[in-house]
Amino acid sequence: FCFLGGFDAEEDLVGSLASMSSNERVKAIQKMPKTMRQKREIRNKVLKEITKKSRHRGAQCTQGVAVSFQRFGNTLSECFQQLQPWHKTLKIIGAEFGTSVLSYFVFLKWLLNLNIFSFLINFGFITIPQFLAAEPNNLSFTGLELLTGAGYFQQTVLYYGFYTNATISKVENGPSYNMQLAYIFTVGIYFVISFLILLFSMARFFSRNFVKLTKAFSVNASKLLCTWDFNITNEKAVKLQQKNLLTQIKEDLTEVNKEVLNFSVKERVGRIATHLLAWVVSLATAVAASTGVYFLSINNLELFMKGYSNDLQRQTAMLVLPVIVSLLNTLIPFFFSWLGHLEKFQTPGQHIYVTIIRNTILKMSIVGILCYYWLNIVATSESQCWETLVGQDIYRLVLVDFIFCLLGSFFGEFLRRIIGTTVCVSLGLPEFDIGRNVLDLIYAQTVTWIGILFSPLLPGIQMIAFLIVFFVKKVSLMRNCQPPRKVWRTAQMTTSFIFLLFCPSFLGVLSVIGVTVWRLKPSEECGPFRGLPSMYASVDEWIQILESYTVSKWVVWIYHNLISSELFFFIISTVVLIVIYLYWQIIQARKTMTKLLRNQILN
């Protein structure tokens, strides 16, 4: 009777699943506390039941094709998930080192995807059409160009100066391609899309980490009794899940068992004085570094334009500025981390956030000095193509910064491990410096955004660099570093990273791009905007042409009444602020409701 009862229950289950829609059926099977093999058996029985019913309805062929596609889609998604090089890596890092270190790699993967998207857009709409109108490159390739970005690369699609200002048409009286409009619209639309991606990413991470994150299931028995995934049967996966669960419990217990230290008045004054002194020293260091970069950049153009007796001296002169800048960006953050250890913060989070703020001030100051040099000194020089000079400078900065990033992993982690395990055993293994490594990523992405206008393929170079950095940092982390001595939860850290990338970085880049497009005069002898008073003048000329066509009147109306209207953007900004305020009030109400419900549960 028990066997018959179980058989009837299984038949009822299959019948109920067969009557559901496809999405509901998938979700219902996923929620079952069974192994993957049992779920597959149930799914196959449901599909057979659906096929039987479809035969009676006369739709056997259609349903069979749908089932085949569904099976093919499930198999394909599983294959893609296994092909992702970071899928398993992120799980291992989270289990071994906690969410604080994991947040760095999640942020790096996010930036890698963003650069892939940027490269595909620029390559598809700017570079490929230019190949059709490109002239042969007569310069010789020596190999030094890979490091300096000059020489042979000047006559390639890597830089702005190589692109034509003509309308490309391969067929007489056929469709044409306006490179001026393609160039400015591709860059403009990319920045608009990036702006929206950053906003939605901040909103999504904020909603996930601040609004939905409650303590109801964090530090109680449910962490042990209700969070285990019974679909896991592989021995390695089970051990990995156990480590991950253990790390989560440690993080939760750290939040509960926070030590409230009571300092005397003398100790408080001493701590405040230490913090103030550290801030004065860090700000003075940032000012000194920015001043040095300023004077070096002023002499950089004269050094670059100067005649040299051989090519090696000329190539070496090109690398002076990027090497000094990368050296400052690499060494000073180590000093900031040392200052943070002297201050003896109560929590690791305070140490990391203070270090990130100091590194942000340093790196954004250096980037601001470089932008001033490019837009006010290089742009007004007597160079035939100042845009290409700026593109070469940014190319060298990206490449040299990538090299110093790898050297930082070698000297800061590998050699530190050798010293801590052989020379001075009391030091032990190093910890992964999240603040320094995150600001390296933000700095690299900022320079890449600035260089997109002058070197459209720069995101492709940064994409390769980020991919290499991901695996180098992963290997260095596993072999050289130890898990944080103080485990702590950092659910909101990824949100903070994207906010830093948006607020000082992306908005600053928009200002630089805006000045370049609207204010600066393009070179007379190179680039798609040669001969125009500004890059944006190409859009005005296009609108004037459209005004003579009746069919295009709606485009002209949108341009004059929306795009070029300050009132429209003022209204849009007001609406956005109102929506943000409403969502903020909703968040506060949900927090209050969550607090009341938690108190009711306790009662």
Side-chain angles (χ1 to χ4, degrees):
F1 286 112
C2 292
F3 173 77
L4 292 177
F7 183 76
D8 292 338
E10 185 175 352
E11 278 191 345
D12 294 338
L13 176 62
V14 171
S16 62
L17 290 173
S19 62
M20 296 180 182
S21 64
S22 178
N23 294 332
E24 293 176 348
R25 183 166 58 253
V26 170
K27 292 179 180 179
I29 295 177
Q30 288 177 348
K31 292 179 180 179
M32 292 180 180
K34 299 180 181 297
T35 64
M36 291 299 296
R37 186 181 64 183
Q38 293 173 337
K39 289 184 178 182
R40 289 193 184 98
E41 292 176 355
I42 294 174
R43 184 189 64 185
N44 293 334
K45 290 180 181 179
V46 172
L47 294 177
K48 289 181 181 179
E49 183 69 20
I50 294 174
T51 305
K52 289 180 182 178
K53 292 182 179 179
S54 64
R55 287 173 182 171
H56 294 293
R57 295 171 186 170
Q60 178 181 0
C61 182
T62 305
Q63 188 66 32
V65 171
V67 171
S68 300
F69 272 110
Q70 184 178 4
R71 291 177 178 176
F72 176 74
N74 294 333
T75 306
L76 196 63
S77 63
E78 292 177 2
C79 291
F80 275 120
Q81 192 175 20
Q82 294 298 326
L83 287 175
Q84 290 182 357
W86 45 74
H87 179 71
K88 185 178 179 180
T89 300
L90 295 178
K91 287 187 175 182
I92 296 175
I93 292 173
E96 295 285 347
F97 297 90
T99 56
S100 57
V101 179
L102 177 63
S103 62
Y104 166 80
F105 288 89
V106 172
F107 183 59
L108 177 55
K109 187 188 74 140
W110 187 88
L111 285 178
L112 178 60
N113 294 330
L114 184 65
N115 280 278
I116 293 174
F117 167 72
S118 174
F119 171 74
L120 293 177
I121 286 184
N122 291 347
F123 187 77
F125 293 98
I126 300 179
T127 305
I128 291 180
Q130 178 61 34
F131 278 130
L132 302 176
E135 298 178 357
N137 192 343
N138 299 322
L139 299 177
S140 60
F141 183 76
T142 61
L144 290 174
E145 292 87 350
L146 294 174
L147 190 61
T148 62
Y152 178 83
F153 286 154
Q154 288 183 355
Q155 299 298 324
T156 63
V157 292
L158 183 60
Y159 295 120
Y160 163 94
F162 183 72
Y163 289 85
T164 181
N165 63 336
T167 300
I168 302 173
S169 178
K170 282 297 180 181
V171 181
E172 188 176 354
N173 297 327
S176 59
Y177 197 83
N178 192 320
M179 277 302 299
Q180 287 184 349
L181 298 178
Y183 202 100
I184 193 169
F185 280 141
T186 301
V187 174
I189 291 174
Y190 164 72
F191 277 107
V192 171
I193 295 175
S194 298
F195 179 80
L196 297 176
I197 289 175
L198 287 169
L199 283 182
F200 282 111
S201 298
M202 282 192 298
R204 181 165 58 88
F205 282 109
F206 183 84
S207 175
R208 179 188 303 173
N209 299 327
F210 284 90
V211 181
K212 296 180 181 179
L213 186 65
T214 63
K215 298 181 180 179
F217 298 99
S218 60
V219 289
N220 47 33
S222 63
K223 177 67 71 173
L224 292 173
L225 302 177
C226 304
T227 60
W228 184 260
D229 188 356
F230 289 92
N231 295 325
I232 300 176
T233 56
N234 183 270
E235 185 177 355
K236 292 183 179 179
V238 168
K239 292 182 179 179
L240 183 62
Q241 182 71 7
Q242 288 175 346
K243 288 183 179 180
N244 199 351
L245 185 59
L246 178 62
T247 304
Q248 293 179 21
I249 294 174
K250 287 182 179 179
E251 292 174 350
D252 293 332
L253 291 176
T254 302
E255 289 187 352
V256 174
N257 299 327
K258 284 183 179 179
E259 296 183 4
V260 180
L261 301 178
N262 296 320
F263 298 104
S264 62
V265 176
K266 183 178 179 180
E267 289 175 339
R268 290 180 182 178
V269 172
R271 290 178 63 85
I272 294 174
T274 303
H275 291 317
L276 290 177
L277 181 61
W279 273 106
V280 170
V281 172
S282 61
L283 292 177
T285 305
V287 171
S290 302
T291 305
V293 172
Y294 172 74
F295 288 108
L296 180 64
S297 61
I298 288 178
N299 298 323
N300 181 69
L301 189 60
E302 298 178 1
L303 194 66
F304 177 75
M305 302 296 292
K306 180 182 177 182
Y308 294 94
S309 58
N310 57 63
D311 189 63
L312 184 60
Q313 290 182 354
R314 185 172 63 88
Q315 303 282 355
T316 306
M318 294 179 183
L319 294 173
V320 172
L321 179 63
V323 167
I324 296 299
V325 169
S326 299
L327 195 63
L328 292 174
N329 283 327
T330 303
L331 295 180
I332 295 179
F334 281 105
F335 174 67
F336 287 166
S337 297
W338 179 74
L339 278 180
H341 288 297
L342 291 182
E343 293 178 87
K344 296 181 180 179
F345 291 99
Q346 293 186 15
T347 63
Q350 293 176 355
H351 181 194
I352 289 178
Y353 281 120
V354 169
T355 305
I356 286 176
I357 293 173
R358 290 170 181 170
N359 288 334
T360 302
I361 295 173
L362 169 70
K363 293 180 182 291
M364 292 303 112
S365 301
I366 292 177
V367 171
I369 294 296
L370 292 174
C371 291
Y372 175 84
Y373 157 68
W374 290 326
L375 301 185
N376 293 275
I377 298 177
V378 178
T380 58
S381 65
E382 298 179 356
S383 172
Q384 293 181 351
C385 191
W386 65 267
E387 294 92 346
T388 297
L389 290 183
V390 174
Q392 291 176 2
D393 269 344
I394 296 176
Y395 172 88
R396 288 188 285 270
L397 277 174
V398 169
L399 190 64
V400 175
D401 179 74
F402 165 68
I403 295 173
F404 272 80
C405 181
L406 300 183
L407 292 176
S409 295
F410 177 77
F411 288 102
E413 295 165 1
F414 175 72
L415 289 185
R416 170 68 173 76
R417 176 178 69 86
I418 298 298
I419 294 173
T421 54
T422 58
V423 180
C424 185
V425 183
S426 60
L427 292 176
L429 295 176
E431 294 185 17
F432 190 79
D433 194 335
I434 301 173
R436 175 175 59 83
N437 286 282
V438 165
L439 263 297
D440 287 342
L441 297 180
I442 294 178
Y443 167 78
Q445 187 60 43
T446 304
V447 175
T448 303
W449 274 334
I450 297 173
I452 285 178
L453 189 64
F454 309 102
S455 180
L457 295 185
L458 198 61
I461 299 172
Q462 193 62 270
M463 173 185 67
I464 299 173
F466 279 158
L467 188 62
I468 296 174
V469 167
F470 185 93
F471 289 104
V472 170
K473 291 293 183 181
K474 171 226 172 182
V475 173
S476 179
L477 176 71
M478 296 296 183
R479 295 183 179 273
N480 302 322
C481 300
Q482 64 172 340
R485 294 184 179 89
K486 294 182 179 180
V487 184
W488 57 292
R489 177 176 295 278
T490 55
Q492 70 275 16
M493 184 165 279
T494 306
T495 310
S496 304
F497 294 163
I498 297 180
F499 176 77
L500 284 174
L501 184 68
F502 175 78
C503 189
S505 175
F506 186 77
L507 295 183
V509 170
L510 288 184
S511 303
V512 174
I513 297 297
V515 170
T516 306
V517 171
W518 270 276
R519 295 294 181 86
L520 297 183
K521 181 177 175 58
S523 299
E524 294 288 344
E525 301 180 6
C526 70
F529 305 101
R530 66 189 76 174
L532 296 177
S534 67
M535 294 183 182
Y536 191 74
S538 60
V539 179
D540 292 330
E541 292 183 356
W542 178 58
I543 293 297
Q544 291 177 4
I545 295 173
L546 292 180
E547 287 179 350
S548 59
Y549 296 97
T550 308
V551 183
S552 305
K553 290 292 185 182
W554 62 277
V555 179
V556 178
W557 184 90
I558 291 176
Y559 175 77
H560 288 299
N561 294 278
L562 298 182
I563 297 178
S564 60
S565 173
E566 294 83 359
L567 179 61
F568 172 73
F569 287 101
F570 175 77
I571 295 174
I572 289 294
S573 302
T574 304
V575 172
V576 169
L577 290 176
I578 292 174
V579 171
I580 291 174
Y581 176 75
L582 290 177
Y583 270 98
W584 179 258
Q585 292 298 318
I586 292 173
I587 289 170
Q588 297 301 319
R590 287 180 177 177
K591 285 183 177 180
T592 304
M593 183 60 66
T594 303
K595 184 177 180 181
L596 293 175
L597 291 174
R598 191 180 296 122
N599 290 333
Q600 291 181 10
I601 292 173
L602 292 175
N603 292 331

